[in-house]
Amino acid sequence: MYDNHTLGKLEPHIYAVADVAYHAMLQRRKDQCIVISGESGSGKTQSTNFLIHHLTALSQKGFASGVEQIILGAGPVLEAFGNAKTAHNNNSSRFGKFIQVNYQESGTVRGAYVEKYLLEKSRLVYQEHNERNYHVFYYLLAGASEEERKTFHLLQPEEYHYLNQMTKKSNKLHWDNYYESELDCFTVEGEDLKHDFERLQLAMEMVGFLPATRKQIFSLLSAILLLGNIRYKKKTYRDDSIDICNPEVLPIVSELLEVKEEVLLEALTTRKTVTVGDRLIVPYKLAEAGTVRDSMAKSLYSALFDWIVFRTNHALLNNRDLEDNAKILSIGVLDIFGFEDYENNSFEQFCINFANERLQHYFNQHIFKLEQEEYRAEGISWHNIDYIDNSGCINLISKKPTALLHLLDEECNFPQATNQTLLDKFRRQHDANRYIEFPAVMEPAFIIHHYAGKVKYGVKDFREKNTDHLRPDIVALLKSSKKAFICGLMGIDPVATFRWAVLRAYFRALVAFREAGSRHTHSKTGSEAAVPSAALKTVDSFSFLHHPVHQRSLEILQRCKEEKYSITRKNPRSPLTDLQGTNAVNERGSRESLYAGGCNGRGSRSLRLASTGSPTLEEDGIFLNSDKSKLLERAQGILLRNKNYKSKPSLPKHLLDVKSLRYLSSVTLHDRITKSLLHLHKKKKPPSISAQFQASLNKLMETLGQSEPYFVKCIRSNAEKLPLRFNDSLVLRQLRYTGMLETVRIRQSGYSIKFTFQHFVSHFLILLPRGTSPTKAGIRDFFRKIHLAPAGYQVGNTMVFLREAERQHLQSLLHQEVLRRIAALQRRFRAVLERKHFVRMRQASSMIQVTAWPGTRGPLGPRGGGCNQRNRLVPLVAPCLSSW
């Protein structure tokens, strides 16, 4: 319906914005971006989903490449891990994301990538009244099967400290003073958590997360929830020491994280301090221990979210991006957290509202300032329209050296500083600034005059949240995990982590093979075991058996050996597949690997070994009577096929490799915030949260500045989250502070359509008289000839300015002229075709005359007359002429 229609011709719809951006990208060969803004709960996330769905559907080949399905599957995954229920919105984005869809020049989807901004980590450990934690926890607890509940040690939602804080009473600081109170609902009206969990599983499968990977993710989520259940108490015999109230939780957490229980206990209750030539172990205080526990949970969840975003980008990556530098076009969609004003606003809301302040300034620049400056530069008649310029508020927050964020960083560097000293510094530096004010009473808060109104921020935890880093003891604990998944989360460089994983897998396989060989040797008793032992050493000297792809062959040989010694063996061998652990592959995958893994003729060496007539091998029975043993024939066939198989192996999709990991790390922000906070430099302090957020926001604004923008303003219809309810005053307030009223005025009185002279002449060439030059006078003469309304256009020094009605009028004239010329061409071509047909018919009639009267020289005989000849000719020619 909206395909290839101009914006505004049909009723407003989000699909119309997607369509006009897509065709503008293809026509002008320039990147586009769609900026979606509005309050929390106004529908930004849903609008983004509609946009992405339509942008992928516009691809000419539909779902041929498979990238479209991954793009659509990435949305539910990111929403489950990054969205939560708040007081204003049941599906509020607690992080910002910029989704860039890349296209080929033909218009087909080539790839995409996602960039995230400032995940709200504090929500994991504490929620305000009538709010929830992240969706994924409730999905898991409601949709997990009984087997999964036992494997992950899942409890009910009300049994988790990180989930049961949304009470009607406020602020439970520690488990010591925990009291029973009435719980709010854990579900939202109309929500089906089991269905949402199935939908999440399907979306993760579309993105490329294997079942084993999903199991590791859910296991880590369970560990994070159980980590919050750890409670502390003071020891009775020492005032400065603490202990854990419920030690039964520690074994479960250590099992899920696969770390040593005693090391986990030590990291959660004490800290190591290095002095000059000495190393001290200092116990945490009660408040410090809870902070360390929560910091560990937040860092784990943040690292997991970064890993999910990174693996999603890897699934969306097109391999041609690594090989060539072909021109690609892109459309970016920005879905960022909306402006928020809660009863208690903290550091997260301060950053969120600052981001919205920057986006509103970007909107003002494009809609008001740049356009009106262009009018003045072109010398056209124009009266300036006043608009709210929020540059002063942005400078107050971010401009060096006295901005609020920079003062916050300074206070974080002083050990003796407090939140009160931070507030005092704000007051001394900006007491006269009209964009900030301080409450009259002694309240630890300050008020910012945003473009959307006044918001009060409490300075409590400002310093702590700005320097929320993890102690090296906790990082070392997590890196000591036996789970490669958790070690990968803690790694600072994805390329180095991947290389270590490959190296670790190789040595684990080597150790497993050697242990299997040792157990096989020691299992033999008596004189019969002596000869096979020597034979095994001989076989072990060949390197082809060390490679993991031959595990299946060795298993078959072991079974062949077990058949011969099944009567005398007292301690049967454990199957070799038991040694593979969690990385065991199925039989089919092993066979494919066997067929594809041979090199350097190693398989032929084993065959030569099997064909030798050594009596020791015959007595051992492993290679005895190969023609009579079906298992041995199967093993020999596998090795033979392994030697001769030359085709390319079929590998699963989305395999990691060094080249793609290095490319993704350079293109996207990846997880710099989390990694810089996890891996503290010994001499250099890590950047603060606010500094990193400003850097990522600047990068976002730079990306938006390189594209042609489209703005989508989402308006919240009511504050009660009810359907079909329209609050006039609330909507009018949003229209005022977003500048929409001024935007309507500048669109009514301004000129939204602009052409350079050359572009105008080339675009409307069919309408222009022959010889019209791309000059100011020539274009004005053309407008006068077609009687265009003088109030609807102005011709500047280098550009033509039109209003939308005049542009549509010119487009209508152009369309009519194109149709007229098409009809003229069709008329000419039809005339030519009819002429050719007539000439052929005339030639056919001449041929008929020649055939009927061979002696004649013309159509009527030698004398040109004769009634009899003419009467004979008419019946022959008439049928041909009637068909013509």
Side-chain angles (χ1 to χ4, degrees), residues 5 43 85 265 289 300 398 465 609 683 824:
H5 281 79
K85 175 186 177 296
L265 175 62
L300 274 173
S398 63
K465 292 181 177 179
L609 178 62
K683 296 182 180 179

Side-chain angles (χ1 to χ4, degrees), residues 742-767:
E742 291 82 2
T743 304
V744 172
R745 287 172 53 199
I746 198 172
R747 288 306 181 196
Q748 286 178 342
S749 58
Y751 304 91
S752 57
I753 311 301
K754 294 169 283 188
F755 293 98
T756 62
F757 289 164
Q758 188 64 43
H759 185 202
F760 180 84
V761 171
S762 61
H763 186 75
F764 296 101
L765 182 62
I766 297 177
L767 291 178

